[in-house]
C-alpha cells in the first residue's frame, strides 16, 4: 500500500515508504505523500479548498468492538464516521469510502470522483475512519501491547459491522440496494480485500493504486522512480548518481562532512561513525525525488495540498541545468526547494531523534498522527520497505538497504520485531488475502504508470469481472481526485470507465 502530506522529517525514514506511502496516502484514501523525510504529514492534508458556503458533515460515532476475534473480550470503543445523503433517493445504492492510515477528512464527503458517481446513481455516502487513526482511539495509548488490535483484519471486521449498523440506522434495508466500497493506496487494498473476505456484504469495489502483494524488500519502488525521472531525459538520473557519489566521497573526511551539513542544511551534525545516520541522509535525499514522482501532477491542489506545482520536470530541470553548478550543488538545490516548499528550516536527519519520536506511545505525540501506527502495520503485516537494494540500477546509493528498515522496526517496537517476525506477518497477509493469486469478482484496479506502487498491484485484468485500468502518465490515486481541465484523455477515460462499471454492478 505502497511512498503521500506528512509529519516530521524523521517519519519518512521510519517506514521508508513513498506516501504514503501513502499509498501514502486525508485518510479517506490515504493517497497522500507518505513520510518523505517527513515534509508531508502522513495521512493528513491541508484544509481543502471548498466552494463558499460549503457545510461539512458533522462527526458521527458508533460503538465498535475492540477485537472481533475473541467473543470473551467485550471491550468496546467509539469509531468515527461521516455521512452525506444529499444525493440519495430511496432505493439508491450505498457508497462507502474506507479510511486509512491517517485522519479521515470530511471534505471528501463533498469532493472527489466518487461524489460525481454518487450524484449520477443517487447514492448515500459514508466515510469510516480506520481504527487507531484520527479521532478513532480504541485504546488508552499506542503501546505495543495495545497495538496488537491494529490490523487490516480488524479494520475489515469493523467495516462489516459498520455496514450492518448503518443499514439499520439509516433504513437501508431494501434487498435491491447495492453497496460499493472505494479506497486508494492502503484503503484501496482494504476495498479489494473486503470484497474477497465479505462478498455477501459488498456488490463491487474500487481499489485505486492498491498494493495487493505484501513484500519485505520493495526495492522495485526505485526502479519505477528511475524510469519516471528518465522521461525527462537520461541526464536526470545520471546527475543524481554523480551527486550521490560526490556526497559519499565528501563524507569520508571531516571537512567534507561539515560541507555536506551546510550544503544540505542538516538540523544536527552528521555522525558518520553511525551507519544509520548516513543511511537516513541518503534515504531522505532520495525522498525528495520519490515524493515528487509518486504524486506528479495528480491534482491534489483542490485539497489545499502543498507542493503540487513541483513536478518531475521541475526537479529534473534543476539536476540537468549544467550552468547552475556541480551535480552536488544541484542536488542541494533540489533539497532547498523541498525545504522551502514545506516551510522547513533544516533537514532533520538524526536517526536517534526519529526513533525517539516514534517510540512515543501517547495520543498527544506527533507520531500518533499516523507514523507510529503505520510503522507498526508495515512491521507486522506488509513490509513495503522501499530499499536501495537495486544496486547500481538506481542512482541514490546503496546505504538504505533492507536492514535499515528492519532495524527501525526493532528499535521502535522491540528486538522481537526482527526480519523473521516481519516476514511471517507478510506471509500471513498474502495467504489470508491471496496476493497476486487473489480470487474475486467485481473489483476494478486503477493504477497510474508513474506511480511506483503499481508494481505491487494489478496492471492486467485479474479476470473478466475484475479489470485493471492502467492509466499512462498518471501518479498515485490520480483518478480519485476531482476532474481538472488539465487531465489527460487517458485519465478522463479511466474515470468514465469506472463510472460505467459501477453502473453495471448496480444493475
Amino acid at each position: 500500500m505502497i511512498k503521500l502530506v506528512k509529519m516530521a522529517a524523521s517519519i519518512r525514514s521510519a517506514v521508508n515508504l513513498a506516501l504514503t506511502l501513502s499509498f501514502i496516502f486525508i485518510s479517506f484514501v490515504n493517497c497522500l505523500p507518505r513520510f518523505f523525510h517527513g515534509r508531508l504529514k502522513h495521512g493528513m492534508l491541508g484544509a481543502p479548498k471548498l466552494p463558499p458556503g460549503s457545510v461539512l458533515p458533522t462527526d458521527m460515532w458508533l460503538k465498535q468492538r475492540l477485537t472481533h476475534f475473541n467473543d470473551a473480550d467485550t471491550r468496546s470503543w467509539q469509531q468515527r464516521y461521516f455521512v452525506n445523503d444529499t444525493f440519495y433517493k430511496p432505493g439508491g445504492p450505498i457508497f462507502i469510502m474506507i479510511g486509512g492510515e491517517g485522519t479521515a477528512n470530511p471534505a471528501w464527503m463533498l469532493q472527489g470522483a466518487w461524489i460525481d458517481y454518487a450524484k449520477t446513481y443517487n447514492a448515500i455516502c459514508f466515510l469510516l475512519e480506520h481504527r487507531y487513526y484520527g479521532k478513532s482511539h480504541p485504546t488508552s495509548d499506542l503501546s505495543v501491547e495495545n497495538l496488537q488490535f491494529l490490523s487490516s483484519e480488524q479494520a475489515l471486521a469493523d467495516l462489516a459491522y459498520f455496514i450492518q449498523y448503518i443499514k439499520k440506522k439509516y433504513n437501508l434495508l431494501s434487498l435491491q440496494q447495492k453497496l460499493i466500497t472505494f479506497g486508494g493506496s492502503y484503503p484501496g487494498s482494504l476495498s479489494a480485500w473486503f470484497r474477497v473476505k465479505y462478498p455477501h456484504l459488498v456488490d463491487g469495489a474500487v481499489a485505486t493504486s492498491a498494493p495487493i502483494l505484501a513484500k519485505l524488500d520493495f526495492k522495485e519502488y526505485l526502479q519505477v522512480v528511475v524510469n519516471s525521472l528518465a522521461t525527462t531525459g537520461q541526464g536526470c538520473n545520471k546527475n543524481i548518481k554523480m551527486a550521490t557519489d560526490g556526497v559519499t566521497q565528501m563524507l569520508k573526511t571531516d571537512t567534507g562532512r561539515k560541507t555536506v551539513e551546510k550544503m544540505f542544511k542538516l538540523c544536527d551534525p552528521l555522525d558518520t561513525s553511525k551507519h544509520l545516520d548516513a543511511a537516513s541522509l541518503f534515504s531522505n535525499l532520495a525522498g525528495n525525488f520519490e515524493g515528487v514522482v509518486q504524486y506528479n501532477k495528480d491534482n491534489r491542489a483542490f485539497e489545499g495540498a502543498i507542493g503540487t506545482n513541483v513536478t518531475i520536470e521541475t526537479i529534473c530541470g534543476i539536476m540537468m541545468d549544467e550552468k547552475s553548478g556541480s551535480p552536488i550543488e544541484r542536488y542541494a538545490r533540489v533539497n532547498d526547494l523541498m525545504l522551502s516548499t514545506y516551510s522547513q528550516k533544516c533537514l532533520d536527519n538524526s536517526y536517534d531523534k526519529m526513533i525517539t519520536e516514534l517510540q512515543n506511545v501517547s495520543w498527544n505525540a506527533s507520531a500518533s498522527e499516523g507514523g507510529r501506527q503505520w510503522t507498526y502495520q508495515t512491521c507486522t503485516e506488509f513490509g513495503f520497505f522501499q530499499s536501495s537494494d537495486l544496486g547500481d540500477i538506481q542512482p541514490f546509493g546503496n546505504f538504505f538497504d533492507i536492514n535499515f528498515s528492519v532495524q527501525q522496526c526493532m528499535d521502535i517496537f522491540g528486538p522481537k520485531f526482527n526480519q523473521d517476525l516481519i516476514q511471517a506477518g507478510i506471509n500471513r497477509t498474502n495467504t489470508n488475502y491471496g496476493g497476486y493469486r487473489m480470487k474475486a469478482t467485481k473489483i476494478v484496479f486503477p493504477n497510474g504508470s508513474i506511480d511506483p506502487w503499481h508494481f505491487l498491484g494489478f496492471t492486467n485484468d485479474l479476470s473478466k469481472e475484475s479489470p485493471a485500468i492502467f492509466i499512462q502518465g498518471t501518479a498515485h490515486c490520480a483518478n480519485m481526485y476531482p476532474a481538472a481541465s488539465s487531465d489527460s484523455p487517458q485519465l478522463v477515460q479511466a474515470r468514465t470507465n469506472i463510472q460505467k462499471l459501477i453502473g453495471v454492478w448496480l444493475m
Side-chain angles (χ1 to χ4, degrees):
M1 32 262 36
I2 330 196
K3 268 171 172 187
L4 323 154
V5 201
K6 16 215 191 119
M7 230 162 328
S10 44
I11 293 185
R12 150 67 177 83
S13 297
V15 274
N16 224 7
L17 292 176
L19 100 76
T20 247
L21 15 85
S22 98
F23 258 227
I24 38 185
F25 164 231
I26 42 193
S27 70
F28 94 117
V29 299
N30 269 351
C31 285
L32 322 172
R34 295 171 203 273
F35 311 119
F36 291 113
H37 55 78
R39 289 202 240 293
L40 305 171
K41 287 187 178 168
H42 168 55
M44 303 283 289
L45 289 179
K49 295 180 180 179
L50 296 172
S54 297
V55 178
L56 294 174
T58 58
D59 293 0
M60 303 293 288
W61 302 89
L62 77 150
K63 183 179 179 181
Q64 191 67 265
R65 295 188 58 165
L66 178 61
T67 175
H68 297 277
F69 307 114
N70 180 2
D71 290 337
D73 189 336
T74 59
R75 289 176 290 177
S76 62
W77 56 287
Q78 293 294 311
Q79 187 170 22
R80 185 169 66 153
Y81 72 95
F82 301 96
V83 59
N84 180 358
D85 61 0
T86 305
F87 322 113
Y88 180 65
K89 293 183 179 179
I94 303 164
F95 284 3
I96 298 179
M97 185 67 74
I98 302 173
E101 66 275 40
T103 300
N105 191 329
W108 282 96
M109 302 304 292
L110 307 178
Q111 297 271 18
W114 82 303
I115 294 298
D116 292 333
Y117 305 151
K119 293 176 181 177
T120 298
Y121 296 116
N122 304 125
I124 185 171
C125 297
F126 296 91
L127 164 58
L128 180 65
E129 189 168 65
H130 196 296
R131 60 168 54 206
Y132 284 89
Y133 294 97
K135 295 182 180 180
S136 297
H137 299 175
T139 53
S140 59
D141 62 26
L142 295 168
S143 65
V144 173
E145 180 181 2
N146 283 335
L147 286 175
Q148 67 178 296
F149 303 108
L150 170 59
S151 70
S152 58
E153 288 180 283
Q154 294 282 6
L156 294 179
D158 286 342
L159 182 57
Y161 178 77
F162 176 69
I163 287 172
Q164 298 172 80
Y165 171 84
I166 60 173
K167 283 187 173 183
K168 183 176 181 180
K169 178 177 174 65
Y170 295 94
N171 194 29
L172 306 170
L173 300 173
S174 170
L175 295 178
Q176 282 69 46
Q177 282 186 283
K178 300 295 181 68
L179 187 146
I180 310 295
T181 57
F182 297 81
S185 199
Y186 165 54
S189 306
L190 292 176
S191 184
W193 293 338
F194 190 73
R195 174 65 183 161
V196 171
K197 304 298 282 190
Y198 297 89
H200 56 293
L201 295 178
V202 58
D203 299 284
V206 180
T208 297
S209 297
I212 295 302
L213 181 73
K215 194 174 193 291
L216 177 71
D217 191 351
F218 186 16
K219 59 186 178 181
E220 296 84 4
Y221 187 98
L222 277 183
Q223 179 66 74
V224 183
V225 171
V226 168
N227 294 342
S228 298
L229 296 176
T231 60
T232 64
Q234 294 303 314
C236 189
N237 286 307
K238 178 182 176 182
N239 281 285
I240 293 172
K241 177 68 164 61
M242 293 172 66
T244 300
D245 291 344
V247 172
T248 302
Q249 290 300 315
M250 292 173 71
L251 294 182
K252 293 180 179 179
T253 67
D254 286 342
T255 301
R257 172 181 53 77
K258 291 178 181 178
T259 301
V260 169
E261 292 171 0
K262 184 177 181 180
M263 288 183 69
F264 292 94
K265 295 182 172 62
L266 302 191
C267 297
D268 299 289
L270 182 63
D271 187 348
T272 51
S273 67
K274 294 181 178 179
H275 171 75
L276 293 172
D277 268 10
S280 293
L281 172 63
F282 285 98
S283 177
N284 290 343
L285 296 178
N288 284 330
F289 293 81
E290 293 164 341
V292 172
V293 167
Q294 182 168 309
Y295 299 97
N296 190 56
K297 301 178 181 179
D298 67 357
N299 191 27
R300 282 177 294 122
F302 90 98
E303 302 161 350
I306 300 170
T308 56
N309 61 328
V310 180
T311 66
I312 292 174
E313 287 76 13
T314 305
I315 56 177
C316 281
I318 293 173
M319 290 307 303
M320 293 189 291
D321 183 6
E322 297 182 358
K323 296 180 180 179
S324 61
S326 67
I328 296 178
E329 291 171 320
R330 288 175 249 160
Y331 209 37
R333 280 185 59 206
V334 172
N335 188 63
D336 288 345
L337 172 64
M338 302 309 290
L339 287 173
S340 174
T341 298
Y342 295 103
S343 302
Q344 300 292 315
K345 293 181 179 179
C346 58
L347 178 60
D348 191 351
N349 188 66
S350 169
Y351 179 82
D352 289 342
K353 278 187 176 180
M354 178 267 290
I355 294 299
T356 299
E357 181 177 345
L358 289 171
Q359 287 175 334
N360 195 326
V361 303
S362 171
W363 283 111
N364 295 322
S366 61
S368 72
E369 294 180 31
R372 180 172 171 83
Q373 300 97 302
W374 181 245
T375 304
Y376 180 82
Q377 288 193 262
T378 60
C379 294
T380 55
E381 291 191 83
F382 307 126
F384 296 153
F385 300 123
Q386 293 124 38
S387 76
S388 59
D389 290 335
L390 272 178
D392 293 337
I393 296 176
Q394 52 84 14
F396 298 102
N398 301 315
F399 287 86
F400 48 105
D401 60 12
I402 190 60
N403 295 324
F404 178 56
S405 296
V406 172
Q407 188 63 51
Q408 291 171 48
C409 292
M410 296 171 66
D411 289 342
I412 295 166
F413 301 112
K416 78 173 185 179
F417 288 82
N418 56 27
Q419 185 164 328
D420 289 341
L421 183 144
I422 299 169
Q423 187 62 60
I426 291 169
N427 294 344
R428 185 175 186 279
T429 296
N430 290 329
T431 299
N432 194 24
Y433 302 125
Y436 287 145
R437 302 183 68 181
M438 174 190 295
K439 302 295 183 184
T441 60
K442 298 183 180 179
I443 306 173
V444 61
F445 299 95
N447 275 286
S449 66
I450 297 294
D451 177 19
W453 288 102
H454 79 248
F455 185 87
L456 296 181
F458 288 116
T459 56
N460 294 305
D461 294 352
L462 174 62
S463 68
K464 198 170 184 178
E465 288 189 295
S466 292
I469 300 178
F470 194 50
I471 314 167
Q472 290 297 329
T474 61
H476 201 57
C477 300
N479 60 281
M480 301 189 77
Y481 297 107
S485 58
S486 58
D487 289 341
S488 67
Q490 294 90 338
L491 179 55
V492 173
Q493 188 61 51
R495 291 199 186 100
T496 299
N497 290 346
I498 293 168
Q499 178 171 311
K500 289 180 178 177
L501 193 56
I502 292 171
V504 172
W505 294 338
L506 296 180
M507 290 172 60

